[in-house]
Amino acid sequence: MTKQPRVGVVGAGSLGFHHIRILRDLRGLQFSGFFETSEARRKEVEKELRARSHASLEDLLEACDAVVIVVPTSAHFSVASAAIERGKHVFIEKPITTTLEEADALLELARRNGVMVQIGHIERFNRAVRAALPHVKRPRFIDSERLAPFSPRGSDVAVVLDLMIHDIDLLLTLVGSEARDIAAVGVPVLTPMLDIANARVTFMSGAVANITSSRISREKKRKIRIFQEREYMSLDLAAGTGEYYRLKHDFDPTKLRSAPADIAAFVDREKLHAPDGEPLKLELESFVAALNGQSPIVVTGEEGRLALGVALRIVKEIEMTLPSLVGHAQHNA
């Protein structure tokens, strides 16, 4: 692309609002405005952010080279395919689509039209994750917990596709291996969809992960613990902080058999550090850099499809145990 790309946003809900806020002032692009189906919301955001809005999706696409899609998951395929068919590059908030068939069709459409697809797995840009990645080498066990109070946003899909998919993408990134075996449980509580779920995933590398996600919690919690040989990392994704523990080089395990010992006596502990930065801004900057040919796409459409595949396998495992409650859900693994 020889000139700054024109980028717009589809969807101005609670998350779309922040995409608009950031893109409006981001360098390296021309912000083309946004489209929102709710006229009242469109006018509200237009006034608050002093951002240009468009009366239709077609009008926005006409004014763009690329679009950021922040609509309900059920509409990802229709909006993204409309943009891709017009030769527009797309950034799609997670998950890429609701089914693998839609994801495959979308990626094939993108290949035919020669456009880029980036998926919004924002935790890749979390400061704690960025700080931990240089220390990650052959994880053996990972424990992940993501709890959140209920919100209507995202409740059109199971919590696995709404929240857990963040951690699924992180696990695939940290382990660097495909999922082999999956065992999962979960239940609907406030919606017809799964509202709380737990999965145990065994990877081809032999690593095992335990993942819990809930959208019916009274507290917010986003933590992940990574265990590997002689090392352990504890990350607080909500705070963007982390700690790294490793056995001292002169550690003698036989000493533990004789008497209790303070862990500080045989473990070195250090805080993990990475440059500060708003994850959403970093994510959008990466998309713009890819559009400008300055760097590769951080989270490709194929990676988004891989995370979706694991998520749908987890949903399918749960549906097999609760057919009367959630077997009607249209999830295809």
Side-chain angles (χ1 to χ4, degrees):
M1 215 170 269
T2 57
K3 60 179 182 179
Q4 287 190 339
R6 301 170 300 160
V7 182
V9 177
V10 184
S14 57
L15 181 56
F17 175 92
H18 293 290
H19 280 275
I20 296 166
R21 170 182 61 82
I22 293 170
L23 285 168
R24 179 195 60 183
D25 302 323
L26 207 59
R27 294 182 178 180
L29 63 89
Q30 298 178 45
F31 183 56
S32 298
F34 69 96
F35 167 66
E36 164 60 43
T37 56
S38 167
E39 185 176 357
R41 178 62 176 170
R42 177 170 63 84
K43 291 181 177 179
E44 179 184 355
V45 173
E46 186 178 44
K47 180 179 180 181
E48 185 171 351
L49 294 180
R50 296 184 179 180
R52 175 190 177 191
S53 70
H54 294 263
S56 69
L57 175 61
E58 291 71 24
D59 287 347
L60 174 65
L61 294 177
E62 186 66 29
C64 291
D65 300 306
V67 289
V68 173
I69 298 170
V70 200
V71 298
T73 303
S74 56
H76 282 187
F77 178 75
S78 61
V79 174
S81 58
I84 293 172
E85 284 173 349
R86 291 166 175 77
K88 313 300 180 181
H89 304 289
V90 295
F91 174 107
I92 309 170
E93 264 300 342
K94 59 78 197 167
I96 179 172
T97 52
T98 58
T99 70
L100 291 181
E101 289 80 7
E102 288 180 341
D104 290 337
L106 210 59
L107 294 175
E108 176 57 30
L109 191 62
R111 284 189 286 269
R112 289 205 308 266
N113 286 275
V115 303
M116 292 186 295
V117 178
Q118 180 166 330
I119 309 303
H121 285 291
I122 194 171
E123 294 290 27
R124 297 269 197 108
F125 299 87
N126 187 292
R127 182 171 60 175
V129 173
R130 289 186 283 114
L133 280 174
H135 301 284
V136 174
K137 48 184 182 293
R138 293 188 60 81
R140 306 311 300 160
F141 180 73
I142 300 177
D143 184 60
S144 175
E145 191 174 23
R146 183 177 296 263
L147 311 176
F150 181 76
S151 169
R153 185 186 178 279
S155 61
D156 60 323
V157 295
V159 69
V160 179
L161 297 181
D162 178 25
L163 299 181
M164 186 181 283
I165 197 163
H166 281 299
D167 304 298
I168 292 169
D169 175 70
L170 280 184
L171 292 175
L172 291 167
T173 302
L174 294 169
V175 175
S177 173
E178 293 186 14
R180 186 184 70 204
D181 302 316
I182 294 175
V185 293
V187 291
V189 179
L190 298 178
T191 76
M193 301 292 188
L194 295 169
D195 292 317
I196 183 169
N198 171 266
R200 182 179 179 87
V201 182
T202 302
F203 294 86
M204 297 297 291
S205 67
V208 176
N210 183 63
I211 329 168
T212 300
S213 292
S214 170
R215 59 184 176 202
I216 53 172
S217 173
R218 295 186 62 184
E219 62 174 334
K220 287 185 177 181
K221 188 176 183 180
R222 290 156 51 205
K223 291 191 174 181
I224 186 167
R225 289 166 284 274
I226 307 164
F227 299 84
Q228 48 198 31
E229 187 176 359
R230 302 179 66 86
E231 298 174 340
Y232 158 67
M233 280 167 275
S234 178
L235 312 181
D236 186 333
L237 302 184
T241 59
E243 292 185 319
Y244 174 46
Y245 302 82
R246 61 172 174 264
L247 290 176
K248 294 182 177 180
H249 293 297
D250 58 354
F251 168 63
D252 182 1
T254 61
K255 293 181 179 179
L256 295 179
R257 301 172 188 168
S258 57
D262 183 350
I263 191 173
F266 54 88
V267 171
D268 289 321
R269 170 186 172 187
E270 65 179 83
K271 290 189 179 297
L272 292 169
H273 296 285
D276 200 2
E278 182 181 356
L280 183 58
K281 183 178 180 182
L282 295 175
E283 184 177 46
L284 291 173
E285 284 177 339
S286 78
F287 181 54
V288 173
L291 291 175
N292 286 319
Q294 298 167 345
S295 65
I297 297 169
V298 175
V299 186
T300 65
E302 288 74 16
E303 289 174 311
R305 194 261 187 207
L306 191 62
L308 176 64
V310 175
L312 292 177
R313 284 180 64 189
I314 291 172
V315 172
K316 187 174 182 178
E317 282 291 316
I318 297 173
E319 289 179 347
M320 289 174 64
T321 67
L322 297 171
S324 63
L325 293 178
V326 294
H328 65 280
Q330 297 300 307
H331 296 300
N332 298 308

